[in-house]
Amino acid sequence: IEEKREGSPAPVQDPKEPVQEPEKPVSEPAAQPAEPPREEPKPLIDVDENYYKYLGEAFKTYIIVEKNDRELMLIDKHAAHERIIYEKLKKEKGSGYSQLLLTPLTVTLNKIDYNAVMSDLDVFREAGFDIEDFGSGSVIVRSAPQYLPMEDIEPSVIEMAGYLSENKKEIRSEKMDWIYANVSCRAAIKGGNRNTEQELIDLARRVEDEDIRHCPHGRPVCIILKKHELERMFGRIE
């Protein structure tokens, strides 16, 4: 047998033989991405001994807030927003809360209501309406309170006109209170409406910051369930 000499050429592979592919390294399975940590409920207020956490919304109507780890607050978002608008209208008397309509709206009234409106245009102005006489029993609305949906402007004017014609003897402050309450109710967000989380958080914060407890019509804005009451319901305590 002839020994392979140093420096001799490498043996040539027979072309009939299958080419041996180099073995590929076995790749390890890709690492699964780690699950993101669950976010804690966002704090609303963290001042001194008061701590509030936003937990969510029930039935697209009630904001759920945990207070000081001892109470649950259920806030009616419509009633809360209604009271906020009401207070703003009273404070600003329509100024800064009125928006110009791109297309002025004509409202036709019966004779009695028309006369009541024309006699009390200042009342409408203080509520955020800019109304002028259009003749033939009609008025033209050039501006209306912010947030008041376009479809609610005409019914609101008609309802206010009817109230004024039936309550001529009421003092001005009583008239204005009724009108502010009427406008704020129509302009406020409604139960069942979809709202962003931030909108609900801001609303809940204002309820606490401004100590809002009732809507202009006297309905409660929030109901509080104490922790020990829930524990008693679930049989945790006697």
Side-chain angles (χ1 to χ4, degrees), residues 164-176:
L164 291 174
S165 67
E166 294 175 3
N167 298 272
K168 295 178 182 179
K169 295 182 179 180
E170 282 193 357
I171 61 175
R172 186 181 181 84
S173 61
E174 291 177 344
K175 291 179 181 179
M176 293 311 307

Side-chain angles (χ1 to χ4, degrees), residues 117-177:
V117 171
M118 297 311 300
S119 300
D120 260 330
L121 287 177
D122 286 345
V123 169
F124 285 88
R125 191 171 296 111
E126 284 193 22
F129 292 89
D130 181 11
I131 293 180
E132 298 175 3
D133 185 7
F134 196 62
S136 301
S138 298
V139 296
I140 185 167
V141 183
R142 299 194 180 278
S143 62
Q146 295 179 26
Y147 308 121
L148 190 62
M150 190 68 184
E151 63 270 17
D152 276 349
I153 295 176
E154 182 175 356
S156 183
V157 171
I158 292 174
E159 190 173 4
M160 291 164 64
Y163 169 82
L164 291 174
S165 67
E166 294 175 3
N167 298 272
K168 295 178 182 179
K169 295 182 179 180
E170 282 193 357
I171 61 175
R172 186 181 181 84
S173 61
E174 291 177 344
K175 291 179 181 179
M176 293 311 307
D177 277 347

Side-chain angles (χ1 to χ4, degrees), residues 83-99 122-129 144-147 172 176-177 180 206 210:
R83 178 62 183 271
I84 290 169
I85 295 173
Y86 171 82
E87 294 296 338
K88 189 174 179 65
L89 282 171
K90 283 187 66 175
K91 181 179 179 181
E92 299 185 356
K93 298 186 182 300
S95 63
Y97 204 70
S98 183
Q99 61 181 357
D122 286 345
V123 169
F124 285 88
R125 191 171 296 111
E126 284 193 22
F129 292 89
Q146 295 179 26
Y147 308 121
R172 186 181 181 84
M176 293 311 307
D177 277 347
Y180 290 148
R206 292 192 65 174
E210 300 174 23

Side-chain angles (χ1 to χ4, degrees), residues 55-69:
L55 300 183
E57 182 183 15
F59 313 120
K60 299 179 186 176
T61 300
Y62 306 103
I63 306 169
I64 307 173
V65 173
E66 182 181 315
K67 178 181 178 181
N68 297 333
D69 296 324

Side-chain angles (χ1 to χ4, degrees), residues 227-238:
K227 182 179 179 182
H228 71 265
E229 292 174 345
L230 289 173
E231 290 177 334
R232 184 176 292 112
M233 292 177 187
F234 284 99
R236 288 180 170 270
I237 61 174
E238 295 296 331

Side-chain angles (χ1 to χ4, degrees), residues 195-213:
N195 299 99
T196 66
E197 182 179 282
Q198 191 57 51
E199 286 173 336
L200 298 176
I201 289 174
D202 291 342
L203 192 56
R205 181 182 289 115
R206 292 192 65 174
V207 166
E208 283 305 292
D209 286 348
E210 300 174 23
D211 195 27
I212 296 173
R213 290 297 176 263

